[in-house]
Amino acid sequence: MERMEKTNGKRRSGGQKRIRAAGLGCLLTALCVAAGCAGRGHAVKLSRSTVELTADDREAGNVGGGTDAAEGEEFQASYLNFSLELLRQSRSGQNVMVSPASVLLALEMTRCGADGETLSQMNETLYPGITPEQGREGAMALHAVLNGDTGVPDQVLTAADSVWIHTEDTFVPDENFLRTVAADYDAQIYGAPFDETTRSDINRWVEAKTNGQIRDILSEISRDAKVYLINAVSFDGEWEEPYKTSQVNDAVFRGANGSETTVSMMYSSESRYLSGDGVQGFVKPYKNGVSFVALLPDEGISLEEFLAGLDGETFLELLSDVEETEVETGLPKFENTMKIELADILSGMGMPEAFSEYNADFTGMGYCTDGRNLFISKVLHQTHICVDEQGTKAAAATVVETDAGGAAIMGETVILNRPFLYAIVENESGLPVFLGTVELL
């Protein structure tokens, strides 16, 4: 690729092929975003010719990716450090759940269009302790795992990506950027006029990709919005051994604020016990290669204190040092929905340049013909989880907006009757797709 040169404060390529605004309509097909758009012809996919993969792309390894990076401890620890910091920064004393997988994949697509200091800060924030290439390979492998490339039947974890481009505006998308996100993440690419109907189309796309769990993630479209980069993750898993009615009884949950609430506690005997310095927990498997992991800090140690000292390496050690023994468990039924704007959080985690109207460098994504600079204006993250006798349903979406019992058995006991940390972990990679805390019920 030719080196970029600065032109009017923006980088332009002397020879790199770009999609010209005037000719963008020629690259659109009459394919609508969802069935709800049929016949309206409003938002349309970019022509496959725009993002067609070449033999060179495939030979260069730009499609998919092996699982070695995802399984390697370096990427695991890096991903977990990012995940735990994201959770810590998102907590507000209430029940919180984030999908680090969704946030990472949405920002990884965005990173494909970053350059300069913006790129450096995103590298360090998304992939602490590893190289950007290791991070990219790990993200691609994680994406493959979420899309069923593991040989596991009846996939219960799914992920989808899309990029939406303002077609009736001054923004000119970079064709190489579009081809990259289409090749690496199978992103669906749409052109739309960014009006109220586009907002509805984006919301319907997210709702469809999360099986109806995430609705109306986008309340409005900024008048200066140029690109939306979206990831959606969905999970619908049945317990390997569902709870029976006789295993559900009332119990008292002591909240982080000292409150006491009567909850429906689901009791069972499990066989995988976790223990570490100041914490114990258990693993309860779902069908099809996913597990629920619960970690309960010892009495006298608050969840906040425990989280403050938890890093990726320690989390990995806890998961890898599972003790096969009988453990009596209690898991409260709970449901939670959370919506959070992550711009300030991610900026504080180390990537402020990406959110700077003047300093952000996303020239690899495209440019504005009127000279305005592209920057991230919002990172909307919404999650939902429901845990009951049959299993768990969970979903998350991330939108990056660029402007511009039975008889008692002797053994261990872990009753989650006070604040605890939980994760929904994909077994093969060992990575948590969802990570949350329960502090009040």
Side-chain angles (χ1 to χ4, degrees):
M1 181 186 300
E2 298 182 3
R3 290 187 62 84
M4 299 288 189
E5 59 181 5
K6 289 282 186 179
T7 304
N8 295 327
K10 294 296 294 177
R11 296 175 191 251
R12 305 284 177 85
S13 171
Q16 182 176 316
K17 185 177 180 181
R18 295 184 183 273
I19 303 174
R20 297 298 172 187
L24 189 57
C26 299
L27 297 174
L28 302 179
T29 67
L31 298 176
C32 292
V33 175
C37 302
R40 186 167 64 242
H42 186 78
V44 293
K45 284 186 178 180
L46 290 187
S47 164
R48 284 297 300 169
S49 64
T50 309
V51 293
E52 193 67 45
L53 306 182
T54 66
D56 289 340
D57 290 322
R58 300 184 186 280
E59 290 174 5
N62 293 331
V63 181
T67 59
D68 290 346
E71 294 176 345
E73 288 190 2
E74 286 187 345
F75 177 75
Q76 285 180 318
S78 174
Y79 174 83
L80 283 165
N81 281 325
F82 168 77
S83 303
L84 291 167
E85 185 61 18
L86 181 66
L87 178 65
R88 279 189 287 262
Q89 295 299 325
S90 301
R91 290 177 67 242
S92 58
Q94 301 291 326
N95 299 343
V96 170
M97 184 182 76
V98 295
S99 173
S102 179
V103 175
L104 183 76
L105 291 173
L107 288 174
E108 171 58 23
M109 287 196 298
T110 310
R111 192 183 72 93
C112 291
D115 202 355
E117 183 62 18
T118 301
L119 177 61
S120 297
Q121 290 183 1
M122 293 188 77
N123 290 342
E124 293 172 4
T125 301
L126 300 180
Y127 305 120
I130 60 176
T131 68
E133 184 58 25
Q134 283 178 298
R136 173 181 172 274
E137 291 295 330
M140 291 170 64
L142 174 60
H143 186 271
V145 166
L146 295 178
N147 279 281
D149 297 345
T150 60
V152 177
D154 301 324
Q155 184 76 5
V156 294
L157 275 169
T158 60
D161 297 281
S162 62
V163 177
W164 301 68
I165 298 168
H166 196 166
T167 55
E168 298 177 5
D169 195 69
T170 59
F171 177 66
V172 181
D174 186 289
E175 185 173 346
N176 186 61
F177 167 77
L178 298 181
R179 294 177 71 249
T180 297
V181 295
D184 289 358
Y185 301 105
D186 197 26
Q188 298 172 307
I189 302 174
Y190 299 98
F194 279 29
D195 55 12
E196 180 61 22
T197 305
T198 303
R199 184 189 70 85
S200 297
D201 288 342
I202 289 175
N203 285 339
R204 273 200 299 270
W205 185 92
V206 170
E207 184 175 347
K209 298 303 181 183
T210 59
N211 293 319
Q213 296 188 72
I214 304 296
R215 299 180 179 181
D216 298 324
I217 190 170
L218 203 59
S219 60
E220 64 178 359
I221 288 186
S222 166
R223 66 178 183 178
D224 294 320
K226 308 301 178 189
V227 182
Y228 283 100
L229 304 101
I230 306 173
N231 173 270
V233 176
S234 179
F235 172 70
D236 188 351
E238 296 181 12
W239 299 120
E240 195 171 85
E241 294 186 7
Y243 293 93
K244 300 176 182 178
T245 302
S246 60
Q247 293 175 286
V248 183
N249 291 287
D250 288 347
V252 174
F253 184 90
R254 302 197 308 275
N257 61 357
S259 63
E260 293 189 353
T261 307
T262 300
V263 300
S264 294
M265 189 72 71
M266 303 181 293
Y267 297 94
S268 66
S269 294
E270 303 298 334
S271 61
R272 302 174 68 189
Y273 175 68
L274 303 171
S275 64
D277 187 13
V279 69
Q280 60 177 339
F282 63 89
V283 178
K284 183 174 178 63
Y286 299 99
K287 297 178 181 178
N288 302 331
V290 183
S291 296
F292 183 91
V293 175
L295 294 174
L296 181 68
D298 290 349
E299 290 276 11
I301 300 177
S302 70
L303 182 59
E304 185 172 0
E305 289 174 317
F306 172 68
L307 274 174
L310 185 62
D311 59 18
E313 184 177 353
T314 304
F315 195 97
L316 279 175
E317 289 176 355
L318 282 168
L319 293 185
S320 62
D321 194 23
V322 177
E323 182 180 351
E324 296 291 338
T325 187
E326 291 287 351
V327 52
E328 295 302 309
T329 72
L331 171 63
K333 294 171 59 175
F334 67 94
E335 184 171 3
N336 186 53
T337 298
M338 186 187 82
K339 189 172 186 178
I340 188 171
E341 213 288 307
L342 295 174
D344 289 343
I345 290 173
L346 291 165
S347 180
M349 286 174 62
M351 46 180 281
E353 289 272 330
F355 301 94
S356 171
E357 182 176 355
Y358 302 102
N359 298 329
D361 187 347
F362 288 104
T363 48
M365 194 179 297
Y367 68 92
C368 296
T369 57
D370 58 6
R372 288 185 295 169
N373 193 41
L374 205 63
F375 68 102
I376 299 176
S377 54
K378 297 176 184 176
V379 180
L380 303 173
H381 187 57
Q382 187 169 340
T383 62
H384 175 262
I385 186 169
C386 179
V387 177
D388 61 18
E389 296 92 336
Q390 301 305 312
T392 300
K393 291 184 178 181
T398 306
V399 175
V400 178
E401 176 185 290
T402 61
D403 260 10
I409 301 175
M410 296 302 293
E412 305 294 345
T413 300
V414 181
I415 306 299
L416 304 176
N417 58 3
R418 59 180 188 274
F420 62 93
L421 170 71
Y422 67 87
I424 295 177
V425 177
E426 197 283 322
N427 293 347
E428 181 170 327
S429 65
L431 300 178
V433 180
F434 299 93
L435 194 61
T437 59
V438 174
E439 302 184 57
L440 294 172
L441 286 176

